[in-house]
Amino acid sequence: MRPYRGALIGCGYASWFQLTAWSRIEGVEIVAVSSRNRERAEQRAAEFNVPAVYTDYRKMLDAESLDFVDIATPPIVHLEMITEAAHRGLHVLCQKPIADTLAELREMIQICDRAGVMFMVNENCRFQPWFRKMKALIDEGAIGRPYYANFTSRWRASLPVANFGARPWFAEMPRFVNYELGVHYLDTLRYLFGEADSLYAQMRRVSPHIAGEDLAMLMLRIGEVTAVVDMSWASIPAWEAEQSVSWGEYRIEGTEGTLHLRKDGLLRLITDEDEERYPFPSNSEVLGYQGAQQHFIDCLRSGVEPETSGRETLKTMELVFGAYDSAAHDRIYYIGRDLERLQ
Amino acid sequence: MRPYRGALIGCGYASWFQLTAWSRIEGVEIVAVSSRNRERAEQRAAEFNVPAVYTDYRKMLDAESLDFVDIATPPIVHLEMITEAAHRGLHVLCQKPIADTLAELREMIQICDRAGVMFMVNENCRFQPWFRKMKALIDEGAIGRPYYANFTSRWRASLPVANFGARPWFAEMPRFVNYELGVHYLDTLRYLFGEADSLYAQMRRVSPHIAGEDLAMLMLRIGEVTAVVDMSWASIPAWEAEQSVSWGEYRIEGTEGTLHLRKDGLLRLITDEDEERYPFPSNSEVLGYQGAQQHFIDCLRSGVEPETSGRETLKTMELVFGAYDSAAHDRIYYIGRDLERLQ
């Protein structure tokens, strides 16, 4: 079987994780990278033995013989890049958050459909091994009937000064923690429990040093499950584990057990009789990318629509934008029924 | 100064805590107890050296020379007992939850006002020493501007069988965890942050063995604070501390620090530079009652209206009933504006 040939567009924060993950996946070659910043592109190429470097991704798409592109740029250029790739018959894997509006995402889907190429959003959270494990445990009945989920993230980053490390643009994002992180959690809740009925959200901009919200608190109704997405990038975390493996704490409660993933990467399955422990290693972030990318390749091979196809991601983005609608107007957002509000 | 003479009505679960607390308060004598169950009344009297025992509380109120009554019975008989006490000119301290409707509570307030007696609801939660300490720390600016509060309680009691220990009637309560426990947390949030603007709630009856809800998840907007009240008496707790001092975990986040009370009674004040620790002892429940009862006596002495007077408790009960309204109709409850819905 000949390897799939891919090119990476964008050599910023996420590219290291994506290239590391690609290096672990059988049957794939990353044959070129591009970035408007040549130095960065050359650095990534050197790190990962990528043979070709471009500063104009269009020239890369024309010059290289490719099967797919992996887009790791900000949302504002996604539509343009997806269009260029699809018109050349290339399959598309593209970073989250995918688009600033549902209309834009629908356009991407249509372009890829018409070109007959696969379009998957690179959603690494649901592919993180602990969420895969939790899903398997839920499906085999380990916690009985689940009725409650809580995803809590705390990161002291917007206060007392804005300090986002390798992602300084976070300070400028008009929609911030729910758009950047909430999209992960909302997609993962869909993976675990299916489609939501409604959501209610409160958001606050706590720090004066940023443009968007750094506190977002969402409550969803997902059939029999009440789900809480509780995010703050302003707050000092109360958890005592120093090591950050999982970016937060996650709890899923069912009639016969509780699943608890601690920030240090230990997943606990607690029942009335017993506790099982499943530790996860600290290189977690790469494992999420790896899972997503492996799935993309598997879907290219099988022709099956990816779990996080553009079409599926429409449902996730309705939740993301629905949360902003709820918070802005202080009203409950009903999935599907309130869709016209988001147009 | 002659001691205040009080009588206790009701010798069930709470009476042990109340009598223990009274025994620690200067200037008070509990001179009689009553219960329809003579054996229980005699047991409590013997334990706490109370001189007189009655099975008919009216006879006790007629026979004894009293300043106040302490009512520790279920809500259904509160109005009758408060009326009998007020008509005899006795001040009233009465257990929470105080009443099944706001109309009933208004009637109690009116009766006590007309009789010129003090009417305080025995709300021990806000008087627990850690909430007093948290309030003091917030007021002195230790965490900057608070913007988030989370009160989480987990107790595995309605599943896999209903096992409520000394309070088997919990299984029959048509309104359960929010009415019995939520009232504490909502009153304490009022104590810490003032009056709420709105609330949204989801509730679920998870266990088939009970009548009311055993999961209640509330999100409040209290001015600049987003507050979460997250209660389940069905779920297996994820916390690892075995010792239950505080009945739950409590977090308050501000621009300059986080307050975290762990289930084992350790209060942590975490700032960017440092962590202060304030441990609280395991006899906490009595300390809450003791604080409430001391406040009642202080108010009798000073003539100042108690923090948890009937009138103040109207505001707490609006939140309690507003949460049921929100959950039942899946709508946001706006404090004050939606009051007519609760009538």
Side-chain angles (χ1 to χ4, degrees), chain A residues 148 230 235-236 238 253 258 268, chain B residues 148 230 235-236 238 253 268:
Chain A
Y148 177 88
D230 184 345
S235 308
I236 301 176
E253 298 173 356
T258 290
R268 304 161 66 216
Chain B
Y148 178 87
D230 184 346
S235 307
I236 301 175
E253 297 173 358
R268 305 161 66 215

Side-chain angles (χ1 to χ4, degrees), chain B residues 58-79:
Chain B
R58 288 184 187 80
K59 288 189 182 149
M60 175 172 76
L61 301 186
D62 290 331
E64 299 287 331
S65 164
L66 299 169
D67 298 299
F68 72 89
V69 290
D70 180 1
I71 300 173
T73 57
I76 190 147
V77 288
H78 284 174
L79 176 59

